Amino acid sequence: MAVFQRITDRFWEPYAESGASLYYQFFVDEKKVSFKQEGKKIDIKIPYFFSASTKEGVKSRKNKEEIFFSLDIIYNLIITLEKEIEIEEDLKKAFIERIAPRILHPYFRQSVAESLQKAGLPQLNLPLFENLSEHLDF
């Protein structure tokens, strides 16, 4: 499930008066999440996707004519354990769903805000989530 929100901004107000709306979505591409462990080293890749469009509910990257701005970021977490232990599947899932978003989301928020600013689009700060996995399906 992606998170959708209508963008409201002073910059956008003149366009909103004409009935135009601006929407954004962001999600983790769960099909491309990877978790690899080799001894003490754990390598986790988590792809994030952000898009802004003029239509609400544009969920696919394939609808490029409706998306006027998109950003794909793949975060790579490398963790080194003190002792060599095998991480069980339930712990892997919990880490990816609960811990990793808390680590990565502030960086993703910053990347989106800076990219929009550099593109000359309205300022946007993605919401903070105490538990981002409540808003995303894995």
Side-chain angles (χ1 to χ4, degrees):
M1 178 171 113
V3 177
F4 293 96
Q5 186 163 334
R6 185 169 185 259
I7 296 174
T8 55
D9 188 277
R10 288 187 185 147
F11 175 86
W12 189 251
E13 284 176 7
Y15 301 100
E17 290 173 6
S18 68
S21 293
L22 187 61
Y23 297 90
Y24 72 87
Q25 70 166 325
F26 64 95
F27 60 89
V28 172
D29 191 348
E30 67 273 0
K31 294 177 185 175
K32 295 183 179 178
V33 172
S34 71
F35 189 108
K36 295 179 184 175
Q37 182 176 0
E38 294 178 6
K40 293 181 181 181
K41 182 182 171 190
I42 298 173
D43 186 358
I44 304 166
K45 289 184 175 57
I46 302 177
Y48 277 74
F49 175 74
F50 171 87
S51 69
S53 70
T54 54
K55 290 192 176 182
E56 185 175 11
V58 176
K59 296 181 180 179
S60 174
R61 296 179 193 174
K62 295 175 186 173
N63 297 335
K64 291 185 179 180
E65 66 278 354
E66 297 170 352
I67 296 175
F68 63 87
F69 182 85
S70 68
L71 182 64
D72 289 320
I73 300 175
I74 299 174
Y75 288 102
N76 192 14
L77 291 172
I78 298 175
I79 300 168
T80 304
L81 303 172
E82 288 183 12
K83 296 180 183 179
E84 188 172 331
I85 57 170
E86 188 66 30
I87 307 296
E88 298 175 13
E89 287 301 315
D90 59 335
L91 292 175
K92 289 178 187 178
K93 185 177 184 207
F95 183 85
I96 290 170
E97 290 180 1
R98 305 242 178 238
I99 306 300
R102 289 181 184 205
I103 295 169
L104 297 176
H105 190 67
Y107 297 102
F108 181 67
R109 284 182 78 233
Q110 181 180 0
S111 295
V112 168
E114 288 175 354
S115 297
L116 287 170
Q117 179 185 18
K118 288 176 183 177
L121 295 169
Q123 181 182 357
L124 171 69
N125 287 318
L126 294 178
L128 293 171
F129 294 115
E130 177 59 27
N131 189 348
L132 187 62
S133 65
E134 292 174 5
H135 303 277
L136 302 174
D137 286 339
F138 284 88

